[in-house]
Amino acid sequence: MATADPVTFLIAVALAAAISAGVFAHASRHGSQHATAWGVAAFLAAGVAVPVYFIRHWARGRRR
């Protein structure tokens, strides 16, 4: 079983934080009342939360 070194861990956390900040900024700029929740979800589960957020954003924009 391979273990991750601290540098790899820090890179992963920095990447997750950057993705989270981007989703939060986008959500708050576009008036989401749950921008913080989207940001936290993107940090914890980016593979699920980011596609769901942008699909919802795209679908809401097409309805208007």
Side-chain angles (χ1 to χ4, degrees):
M1 177 180 238
T3 60
D5 59 299
V7 174
T8 304
F9 175 74
L10 290 176
I11 291 171
V13 169
L15 183 62
I19 291 169
S20 175
V23 170
F24 171 77
H26 186 272
S28 61
R29 187 177 330 116
H30 290 280
S32 174
Q33 295 183 1
H34 303 291
T36 302
W38 282 114
V40 170
F43 183 81
L44 296 176
V48 174
V50 173
V52 168
Y53 170 74
F54 283 107
I55 288 170
R56 281 180 46 102
H57 175 71
W58 178 75
R60 290 179 124 212
R62 302 215 77 189
R63 277 188 278 168
R64 290 182 183 180

